[in-house]
Each structure stands twice: as C-alpha cells, then as structure tokens.
Amino acid sequence: MPRSEPIKAVRGVRDILPAELPVWQAAEQGATAVARRFGFQEIVTPILEHAELIERAGEDTDAFAKELYRFVDRGDRALALRPEATAGVVRAYFERGLNQGPQPSRVYLIGPMFRYDRPQKGRYRQFFQLDVEAIGSAAGALDAEVIELARDWAYLERLQAYYRPLKERLSPDSQQRLERNPLRLLDSKTEQDAPFKSGAPKIIDHLCDECAVHWALVRRLLDAAEVEYVLNPYLVRGLDYYTRTVFEFFPSGASGQQDALGGGGRYDGLAEAEGWPPTPAVGFASGLDRVTELMAASGVDVITRPAADVVVVPDGDLALEAAEVARICRAVRPTAVDYESKSLAAKMRAANKLGAKWVVLLTPDSSARRSAQLRDMSSGEQEEMDWVELPTRLA
Ligand code: AMP
C-alpha cells in the first residue's frame, strides 16, 4: 500500500459512532434489565480462546471451521477469536468453579463475536451478541424460561418500559409501534427447499419418552407465558451441540435467515465435548447489530443526550482561564471548552449544535475579575457571576 493511502477499517467490521450509540445503549439496557429480571448475572469471558475449545464445539460443522478466525500466536498456540459465547462460558463455568455454586448457573454476556463470513447488511465479521446461558440443569422449565426471556428482550417489555416515559417525544408511528410487537418463532428455510419438507419425517413424531415429557412441559410453559411461536420440526441450528429444544426468533412478519434476531437451544452434550463432566444446559444468543438496525428502521427515536451540558466559550486568547472555569463547572455538569479561533457567533452556533444547556462566556475583562457571563441557551437569558458561583447555579 502506498504510504499516502489513508488506512481504512478492516472489511466487515464497523465503527459505532456517538450518534448511533443511544440505540445500542437502549438495546443493551433492555437486555441487561430483562436478564436481571430473570435472575441472570453478567459474565465477561475473553475474546481469545484456544482454537480447540471452539473447534470441539462445532466439530462436524464445515461452515463453522471456514468462518473461524484462527491463528497461531507468537508462542505457537492455536488461538481463535470467539465466534460465539457458549463454548467460552461453559469453559469458565468449570474452570472458575461456577459449577460448585448454586445450580443452574444463570449467566449472560454481551460482547463482540467474530466470523469470517461474506459481509452484507446484517452480517458482519465483528458483531455483537447478547448471550444467555443456564448451565447445570436438565429441567425443561429452563428451556421455556430462556425462550420467554428472549421474547421479553426482543419485543421487550423492559425496552418498552424504557421508552414509555419518552413516548410523547416519539413520532406518532413510533408511539403505536411501542405497543406489543409479538415475536414469531418460525422456520427459516428457503423456498427452494419447501417442496421437500412436507415429506420428511418430523422429529416431533420420533421423540423418546423422556424427550416427549420434556417437550410437553416446555410447550405448556411457553403457552402459559403467552409466547407466540410456530412449531418448526425442521429447524436445524448451525452447531452440533444442541439437544432437545432449539429455537430461533424473528421480528413479526419476517422469516428469512438474514432476519433472525437470535436463536439457541439446549446443549446437554457440550460440556462433555469440551472434556468436562456431562452437564445439561440451555441458552441463546442474539445479535445486537440486527436488533439495533431494526430499532433504527422502525423509527424509534432514542433521545440523544447532549455531549456536554455546559460549553465554556472564551472570546479571545483565554485558554488557561477557560480550562480553569471548565474544571470548576465539571464538578456538577459535563462541560466542554471551545478552544477554536473562530468568531463568537460561530462558537455560539457550535454550542447550540452540541445541545448545551448553558454557555459560560469569558471575555478578557470579566476573566480579569474572575467572573463570566452565564447564558441559558433555551431562554437566552444571560447574567454575570463569579466563577466560584457557577457550580451552585449549574447544579
Ligand atoms: P447464532 O450464534 O449463529 O445462533 O446467531 C445468533 C444471532 O446472532 C443471529 O440470529 C444474528 O442476530 C446474530 N448474528 C450471527 N452472525 C452474525 C453476523 N455475522 N453479523 C451480525 N449478526 C450476526
């Protein structure tokens, strides 16, 4: 690459800009709230794992190996950037002794995952998932619990609760959209496969006795939780480790693979595949990239917080004074300083754009007296006061 070429982002990865972040934060807050409501605790596991850990979880899955960011580090270890969270969470569960605590261990994780797939809209090489796992119990009620949790998050009562106080500030369409937007669990097969489906044996007709009892309980609990779902006897999830229950969830009206918001299931065999004692577990992972795209597309206006409540505007060569006044104001309010050498009018416009509630205006004269003009940006009122009075007025 010639030296003069600017270096751009790696293919398939994205920056999330300040203006986009409120939607992400809303989605994350919703996820955290709903996970906590169900008694799940946050866990953070490394992005780097031994490649073997990941590979054992997806041994027979071709696509899985092809998509793995796998590399040899400087110490000749085969490592991988995690493509999903479950393998690492199960490792941590044993290695760090969560298996010795109360069972099941209910944990959730939010973080970046990496897959070397062909990038397109809704599919990235670095993307973000909410991952929810209940490890250490075979109870069918837990399968229903994580599906209910996923439903609650995706069309989330908590997210709605977050938005309801903001309702008046949303567009009329978005206000309606706030009301229940039921989630559908659907088959995600392409049309091309459709003619063959009807003739295939249905797994539902071939359950062992224990699986049938388990399945009946899961369904009774889903019905009781009023989870809207479509039974799909053909649903095959990407990885090998699922047993008994698998599910995907979609925004209502959508069913294409690219539209899936998340999916998961029970994986009673995974711990053993990783070399740990056999341990039943169930979980799901859900993509924040798609959820935030959906939120943005459905016109949900998340209220953007101003970058700074206060902007200190020096009129003249007053950088030292401006920095000191900003330090005083920061005791009570997020405060930025405009150090640029442009006209006062231009600085006031910039402060307005930032969404500042107040401007503290410094002139050489007032600064010499250690005082400033405090301007209320919504009323336009302006009054002179000593620097030391600012925190009381801004609080
Ligand atoms: P999976 O771990 O494959 O079951 O994926 C769970 C969810 O993560 C999907 O339903 C998507 O919402 C999201 N997801 C998976 N792969 C990607 C990707 N490459 N880019 C963006 N989101 C993804």
Side-chain angles (χ1 to χ4, degrees), residues 107-266:
V107 290
Y108 73 94
L109 176 151
I110 298 175
M113 308 294 156
F114 303 83
R115 294 182 196 174
Y116 194 88
D117 202 352
R118 198 171 52 79
Q120 60 184 70
K121 190 169 158 41
R123 192 202 287 154
Y124 307 99
R125 290 184 173 173
Q126 173 179 322
F127 59 99
F128 291 82
Q129 283 189 335
L130 160 69
D131 182 70
V132 170
E133 313 287 352
I135 310 175
S137 164
L142 277 175
D143 306 28
E145 185 179 289
V146 298
I147 294 174
E148 191 183 341
L149 193 163
R151 187 277 311 261
D152 277 10
W153 179 56
Y155 281 110
L156 193 71
E157 282 152 26
R158 286 286 135 172
L159 198 55
Q160 289 173 337
Y162 171 82
Y163 282 117
R164 264 188 201 118
L166 308 173
K167 192 167 176 177
E168 256 101 66
R169 289 141 93 183
L170 302 176
S171 67
D173 277 354
S174 294
Q175 294 191 11
Q176 285 180 2
R177 290 187 188 112
L178 268 180
E179 295 322 317
R180 201 172 189 80
N181 210 348
L183 193 66
R184 296 198 341 199
L185 287 126
L186 282 178
D187 185 5
S188 60
K189 290 287 177 281
T190 59
E191 274 178 37
Q192 203 185 328
D193 300 326
F196 309 113
K197 274 201 285 188
S198 51
K202 293 188 174 62
I203 189 150
I204 296 293
D205 302 331
H206 299 272
L207 297 181
C208 71
D209 290 350
E210 275 177 31
C211 291
V213 170
H214 183 101
W215 177 226
L217 177 67
V218 171
R219 294 196 58 186
R220 270 209 306 283
L221 284 161
L222 289 179
D223 291 341
E226 293 175 16
V227 173
E228 255 189 62
Y229 61 90
V230 174
L231 273 188
N232 175 9
Y234 308 106
L235 182 62
V236 180
R237 302 267 312 139
L239 295 174
D240 298 335
Y241 52 57
Y242 290 108
T243 50
R244 295 192 167 165
T245 314
V246 289
F247 60 91
E248 289 183 338
F249 52 102
F250 292 82
S252 71
S255 62
Q257 193 57 61
Q258 237 29 64
D259 300 323
L261 292 179
R266 176 162 282 286

Side-chain angles (χ1 to χ4, degrees), residues 345-390:
K347 287 185 186 181
M348 296 304 280
R349 279 198 300 276
N352 212 16
K353 261 198 185 156
L354 273 182
K357 294 197 191 88
W358 294 277
V359 161
V360 179
L361 186 61
L362 298 184
T363 62
D365 274 2
S366 63
S367 296
R369 283 179 269 119
R370 297 182 71 78
S371 76
Q373 297 283 332
L374 178 66
R375 183 186 178 88
D376 181 324
M377 294 299 275
S378 51
S379 69
E381 278 168 32
Q382 199 162 304
E383 96 183 83
E384 174 145 352
M385 67 186 62
D386 291 345
W387 294 354
V388 291
E389 289 177 66
L390 285 165

Side-chain angles (χ1 to χ4, degrees), residues 269-284:
L270 177 63
E272 219 175 345
E274 285 188 12
W276 305 105
T279 306
V282 57
F284 77 92

